[in-house]
Amino acid sequence: MQLVVENLSVSYDKIRALHGISFSVEEGEIVTIIGANGAGKSTTLRAISRMVPADPGSKIEFMGQNVLKYNTDRVVSKFGISHVPEGRMIFGNLTVTENLTLAAFARKDSAAVAADMKWVFDLFTRLEERKNQLAGTLSGGEQQMLAVGRAYVSGRKIMILDEPSMGLAPLLMLDMFDALKEINRQGTTILLVEQNARLALKFAQRGYVLEHGKLILEGEADSLLDNPEVKKAYLGA
Amino acid sequence: MEYFLQNLINALQWGSFYAVISIGYSMVYGVLMLFNFAHGDIFMVGTYIGFGIATLFLALFMPILPGWVIFIMVIIVTMFLASFVGVMVEVIGYRPLRGAPRASAAITGLMIGIIFETGNLILLGAQRFSFPALIESVSYNVGGVYFTNVKVLIIVVSLVLMAALHTFIQKTKWGMAMRAMSYDFKAVPLMGVSINIIAPLTFAIGAGLASVAGILYGQAYPVLDPYMGILVGWKAFVAAILGGRGSIMGAALAGYLLGFIEIFVAMVFPSTFRDLIAYSIILIILTFRPRGFFGMAHSTQLRL
Ligand SMILES: Nc1ncnc2c1ncn2[C@@H]1O[C@H](COP(=O)(O)OP(=O)(O)OP(=O)(O)O)[C@@H](O)[C@H]1O
Ligand SMILES: [Mg+2]
């Protein structure tokens, strides 16, 4: 297993948002965690990228190494865990190119960085057309592309994505997931968190269902799609 | 007319000090959302470092090397040493306070300032030192306007420094990281950038610039004083606010504006009125432009 999460708990001001969840992701896999508002999906990803501290007793390992020993910047630069955060968090006062350049801050392989940037521009041609534009003036969909592009350039071994479909029109949403498929084909593991359960389960190979900070179901994505409980609670059928 | 031009040159010189010093204030505020109230005293420390290096280098190299070479060497070595002081202020003074209430950081800044002032007194005593002249002063008279090569040098060095900084901020990845910090510091580590590199770097640049301002100031006003940073610090703070949150261009412009207002008010009114009138004008400007010249309306995060 590439990413192993065991007994992960996270508390905000003494209120527990995650109650000892465990899951794992294989190298090259696409895995999704689905759940309703406030289930703890974003918190899970933030714990992996060390944006929020995990409670004592939690364990997060990447390629057998203890992730919890490191700060966010090292998690990104040392392990290649790239996080596309909720709300995109692009730098609106920087241009598109500058956003991508900054994402490569810790990388020393400048030739490979240039190739990665080109790859991103080929994948998201709308970004290339706007590469000298301030990122804050991009549309929501374009900002989402930039957030994914940035994560790609930051040296992804695994990309963890927080609702990349949020705020996208249906067609753009499909484009986005095609792009993620392409990124996965390049060898990047994908851990995706989504409220749009149908989309996520069609896209992923395996899935977990998070409810009130606990993982209540797991399995092959297809079987979850057919699961009556999942159907009832998350697929609106 | 000559009188006006004369004062224009004086204002440019005076404004150069404010501009170079207030940039450091503004950068720290923009990048870290922190008013570094120790900045005026960092300027003082930088001036003393410059004084020490200048004295040393003049003794060592004076007849051997031409004056301008020594001048440049003094600037480079002083900047380097002063930026180290800036780094220490960040690492020891402010870093432990990240996430603490704002007032704690403000008080810490004032305390660091007092430590610098009293530390200086303890180390050097109450004796007043005089900054050695690094450049032999030559006066010129162009159409009735008198100026010295030192004044021109002060203005030119300041402009070159500001242009260099601007390029650094716009073109390098560290500059990008600083600008990104001012927009949303929480997202910066996700780019693989350590805040513990960017924060001290920001302080280092601010302190380095302030120390050069100190050397230049020492060429124009050679008397050193452990408390020389206090008033200059507050004025640079005003310029940083007037320029707009974290805007380097704004801080520079506001620094010059401050210089102009002070000099020209003193030209018309008795000099005892100078600060009263000058800062009333600034208050009025801020009333109409509360964010200053280039203040961003938007910042995602309130503070580090
Ligand atoms: N910064 C915070 N401070 C306090 N509580 C928080 C904070 N962030 C999240 N929480 C709480 O933790 C719980 C899980 O939140 P989280 O953002 O992880 O949910 P989510 O599954 O991502 O929801 P959504 O689908 O709405 O994004 C919620 O009850 C939320 O109120
Ligand atoms: Mg969320």
Side-chain angles (χ1 to χ4, degrees), chain A residues 36-38 40-43 46 86 162-163 166 193 195:
Chain A
N37 285 118
K41 305 183 296 295
S42 300
T43 303
R46 283 187 208 125
E86 187 170 39
D162 201 333
E163 305 203 35
M166 176 111 97
V193 143
Q195 268 194 67

Side-chain angles (χ1 to χ4, degrees), chain A residues 169-205:
Chain A
L171 263 180
L172 264 184
M173 201 138 71
L174 295 180
D175 283 354
M176 177 57 80
F177 277 87
D178 283 346
L180 295 178
K181 268 252 152 68
E182 193 50 47
I183 287 170
N184 176 249
R185 248 197 298 273
Q186 302 287 317
T188 302
T189 312
I190 287 187
L191 173 62
L192 168 77
V193 143
E194 263 295 341
Q195 268 194 67
N196 190 330
R198 186 184 306 276
L199 190 66
L201 289 172
K202 282 192 171 145
F203 172 69
Q205 291 140 15

Side-chain angles (χ1 to χ4, degrees), chain A:
Chain A
M1 286 290 164
Q2 194 180 39
L3 176 71
V4 177
V5 173
E6 256 175 51
N7 190 33
L8 172 64
S9 299
V10 174
S11 309
Y12 295 106
D13 300 327
K14 305 227 160 64
I15 299 166
R16 260 215 168 155
L18 289 180
H19 302 269
I21 65 170
S22 301
F23 64 94
S24 55
V25 184
E26 193 92 63
E27 189 165 353
E29 240 189 335
I30 302 182
V31 173
T32 185
I33 300 175
I34 58 173
N37 285 118
K41 305 183 296 295
S42 300
T43 303
T44 306
L45 298 194
R46 283 187 208 125
I48 294 171
S49 66
R50 306 284 292 127
M51 291 178 81
V52 295
D55 290 350
S58 306
K59 185 174 137 188
I60 301 177
E61 278 187 355
F62 189 77
M63 316 272 269
Q65 296 200 63
N66 180 5
V67 171
L68 293 175
K69 269 199 339 217
Y70 297 92
N71 289 332
T72 300
D73 58 286
R74 295 290 291 146
V75 170
V76 176
S77 60
K78 179 182 166 71
F79 295 114
I81 298 178
S82 51
H83 184 173
V84 180
E86 187 170 39
R88 300 165 188 138
M89 291 173 105
I90 55 118
F91 301 109
N93 61 339
L94 269 55
T95 66
V96 169
T97 306
E98 286 175 338
N99 267 275
L100 293 172
T101 308
L102 186 61
F105 189 91
R107 289 180 63 180
K108 307 245 161 10
D109 46 345
S110 51
V113 170
D116 281 354
M117 296 225 321
K118 186 176 176 311
W119 196 85
V120 167
F121 282 139
D122 288 344
L123 186 67
F124 299 118
T125 48
R126 294 168 70 133
L127 288 184
E128 172 147 50
E129 289 156 21
R130 292 163 177 78
K131 63 181 175 191
N132 295 321
Q133 196 171 318
L134 285 185
T137 63
L138 297 177
S139 76
E142 290 156 1
Q143 292 190 5
Q144 191 62 267
M145 293 172 195
L146 180 56
V148 171
R150 230 171 37 168
Y152 186 84
V153 173
S154 73
R156 71 293 149 195
K157 284 215 177 57
I158 185 169
M159 202 183 277
I160 61 180
L161 297 113
D162 201 333
E163 305 203 35
S165 72
M166 176 111 97
L168 300 190
L171 263 180
L172 264 184
M173 201 138 71
L174 295 180
D175 283 354
M176 177 57 80
F177 277 87
D178 283 346
L180 295 178
K181 268 252 152 68
E182 193 50 47
I183 287 170
N184 176 249
R185 248 197 298 273
Q186 302 287 317
T188 302
T189 312
I190 287 187
L191 173 62
L192 168 77
V193 143
E194 263 295 341
Q195 268 194 67
N196 190 330
R198 186 184 306 276
L199 190 66
L201 289 172
K202 282 192 171 145
F203 172 69
Q205 291 140 15
R206 285 194 303 120
Y208 294 86
V209 179
L210 188 63
E211 210 172 272
H212 303 305
K214 294 188 180 111
L215 287 174
I216 54 161
L217 274 174
E218 62 173 278
E220 299 295 313
D222 296 340
S223 68
L224 285 176
L225 271 171
D226 292 335
N227 183 305
E229 264 181 86
V230 174
K231 270 189 175 164
K232 183 153 163 284
Y234 298 102
L235 302 175

Side-chain angles (χ1 to χ4, degrees), chain B residues 38 58 67 78 100 120 177 190 194 208 213-214 224 245 253 258 275:
Chain B
L58 282 176
T78 303
N120 181 323
L190 286 182
S194 171
L224 301 186
R245 187 182 85 78
L253 280 179
L258 222 61
D275 283 357

